[in-house]
Amino acid sequence: MTKDWKTRTKLVHEGTRRSQYGEMAEAIFLTQGFVYPDAESAEARFIKAGEDEFIYARYGNPTTRMFEERIAALEGTEDAFATASGMAAVSGALTSMLRAGDHVVSSRALFGSCLYILEEVLTRYGVKVTFVDGADLDQWRAAVVPGTKAVFFESMSNPTLELIDITAVSEIAHAAGALVICDNVFATPVFSRAVEQGADVIVYSTTKHIDGQGRALGGVVCASREFIRKTLEPYMKHTGGSMSPFTAWMHLNGMATLDLRCRAMADAAKEIASALEGHEKLSRVIYPGLPSHRQHALAMAQMGSGGTLLAFDLKGGKEAAFRFMNALEIVKISNNLGDAKSIATHPATTTHQRLPQDQKDALGITPGLIRLSVGLEDAGDLTADLMQALSVA
Ligand SMILES: *Cc1c(COP(=O)(O)O)cnc(C)c1O
């Protein structure tokens, strides 16, 4: 399709396939298999399936294919492969390209399940993994050596919203011949410019902003056609982590509003962060869109936005944080993010509960820290809810 379409046009139309009925809305092909007109066609399709030919939904499905083409066009990669969850995308991207003896360098501040893949799974199969402090470019320079196969990082870390400089890390990686794999969930595909900044493989948990309404679990890997079809697809189709056509169909519907949603959430996040900054009960407010954020300039250069999440630290520690959460009336207590509903999370006792204390300290996960995923409610209502909850904290 037309490649010079702008984001919003792509989000509505890119990748749409219409059946002979000419349906307006994207059709859901809730089928696992496909019927061949004759035995010769079946044989031919197994030798090489054409553009509009499918074999089995684990390999590909017309509805899933629409979603893959739409997100690839949005991200600016040649191709994409949709997976059953964000973790199927992360583990697939890494495992499909690595073998025993390979070396990977990863930032240490990772989503718990990503850390498990790198620390437990890959090492079990003889892959060597070196962890670095992702914001410290000298550590990347020291750890990436000629022959390093891949670098992995989350472009904005959870929950303390620290950015990794994609351009700088990609330069270091490419000089050594390593592939750059970027988990870009917190940046969202709307604010992502990861391809032009040098990332080779971009991974999303579509469970987050892309679904955006807390209904579906999904993931996607965006990369060159070579990586997707030669490296990832054979691995995914034989190990079984493909996306359900039903999920792809929900994502296709949701994507029409993805740009509007992410921008509205980011605008509200900035408004809320500004209102909270300097509050007497808070020791710090972390939002990359505020000039006070240590990496504000990098956030603006990399994403053109501070994103849809913020974090803040209550001076009264865990007790104050719990009183605050329990007093919230609009904001929900949960651990998802990127949802239409605003969500407060207490990382120290939930998502990051199992981290040893020294690692919590190193990552800045203090007892008073709250992560807020800003939703689509009125920003004034949200600010008022947070303020009244702070007053009783
Ligand atoms: C949620 C998340 C994942 C995992 O995605 P699932 O869809 O829950 O499997 C991976 N990385 C990051 C940064 C996430 O936020």
Side-chain angles (χ1 to χ4, degrees):
M1 279 200 186
T2 323
K3 288 300 169 222
D4 55 3
W5 280 352
K6 300 287 186 292
T7 297
R8 286 191 190 171
T9 312
K10 287 180 186 165
L11 282 167
V12 176
H13 291 294
E14 188 76 51
T16 302
R17 289 161 179 256
R18 290 202 161 81
S19 77
Q20 71 273 30
Y21 300 113
E23 64 281 353
M24 172 64 84
E26 293 81 349
I28 172 168
F29 291 94
L30 211 45
T31 179
Q32 113 285 11
F34 299 85
V35 176
Y36 313 101
D38 47 49
E40 288 78 9
S41 307
E43 180 186 33
R45 203 171 297 184
F46 270 78
I47 295 168
K48 184 167 174 34
E51 172 62 8
D52 257 321
E53 294 178 343
F54 297 90
I55 293 172
Y56 193 58
R58 177 152 47 76
Y59 297 20
N61 168 287
T63 310
T64 311
R65 194 73 198 117
M66 285 193 245
F67 168 67
E68 290 168 342
E69 287 180 359
R70 191 168 295 178
I71 186 90
L74 182 66
E75 196 63 39
T77 54
E78 288 172 356
D79 213 338
F81 193 92
T83 59
S85 68
M87 285 322 303
V90 171
S91 63
L94 288 163
T95 316
S96 66
M97 68 161 292
L98 295 169
R99 59 182 66 240
D102 283 349
H103 177 233
V104 178
V105 180
S106 170
S107 70
R108 194 176 287 111
L110 294 179
F111 183 74
S113 300
C114 295
L115 188 63
Y116 180 83
I117 300 291
L118 284 142
E119 207 169 34
E120 301 284 334
V121 180
L122 293 180
T123 52
R124 196 183 293 167
Y125 295 100
V127 175
K128 292 189 281 294
V129 184
T130 308
F131 288 101
V132 296
D133 170 353
D136 183 348
L137 292 175
D138 286 335
Q139 290 195 23
W140 287 104
R141 281 187 201 102
V144 177
V145 293
T148 298
K149 272 280 154 50
V151 305
F152 179 81
F153 55 82
E154 291 171 14
S155 57
M156 198 201 277
S157 75
N158 174 24
T160 48
L161 311 181
E162 191 172 73
L163 278 93
I164 304 257
D165 186 336
I166 300 177
T167 307
V169 173
S170 297
E171 273 171 22
I172 296 167
H174 290 157
L179 212 66
V180 176
I181 306 178
C182 168
D183 180 334
N184 216 18
V185 167
F186 279 49
T188 81
V190 166
F191 300 126
S192 168
R193 298 168 194 162
V195 168
E196 56 189 87
Q197 287 153 359
D200 302 297
V201 179
I202 300 141
V203 180
Y204 290 101
S205 160
T206 62
T207 314
K208 313 293 166 56
H209 304 80
I210 294 173
D211 179 63
Q213 293 174 67
R215 306 164 297 189
L217 203 58
V220 69
V221 181
C222 302
S224 67
R225 185 151 298 125
E226 172 86 12
F227 183 88
I228 295 293
R229 298 299 151 197
K230 299 263 168 64
T231 302
L232 184 73
E233 185 193 282
Y235 178 86
M236 293 309 301
K237 78 182 192 188
H238 295 303
T239 56
S242 311
M243 178 179 277
S244 150
F246 188 73
T247 299
W249 175 76
M250 280 199 286
H251 287 352
L252 283 162
N253 284 269
M255 280 174 92
T257 57
L258 183 63
D259 186 82
L260 299 169
R261 286 187 282 117
C262 289
R263 288 183 194 283
M265 289 170 171
D267 287 349
K270 187 171 181 197
E271 188 177 324
I272 292 166
S274 307
L276 293 181
E277 197 168 41
H279 192 287
E280 56 174 10
K281 295 211 171 152
L282 301 176
S283 58
R284 55 178 176 153
V285 173
I286 308 171
Y287 182 62
L290 287 182
S292 60
H293 191 277
R294 193 167 59 86
Q295 297 171 304
H296 178 64
L298 175 60
M300 290 302 122
Q302 192 154 296
M303 306 179 357
S305 167
T308 70
L309 288 110
L310 58 127
F312 43 87
D313 211 336
L314 279 95
K315 287 179 186 163
K318 179 182 165 183
E319 273 185 27
F322 275 29
R323 275 200 301 274
F324 166 80
M325 291 178 91
N326 292 339
L328 291 167
E329 287 168 1
I330 300 171
V331 179
K332 301 293 170 240
I333 302 172
S334 188
N335 42 265
N336 190 23
L337 61 97
D339 198 283
K341 299 178 178 74
S342 290
I343 291 171
T345 310
H346 187 249
T349 54
T350 59
T351 52
H352 293 72
Q353 185 187 133
R354 277 173 298 156
L355 275 190
Q357 192 55 46
D358 60 324
Q359 285 189 42
K360 281 185 190 156
D361 295 344
L363 296 173
I365 302 168
T366 49
L369 188 76
I370 303 275
R371 184 190 79 190
L372 183 72
S373 170
V374 178
L376 289 173
E377 304 93 335
D378 181 84
D381 286 348
L382 288 175
T383 305
D385 192 28
L386 297 165
M387 291 297 181
Q388 66 78 23
L390 275 176
S391 70
V392 302

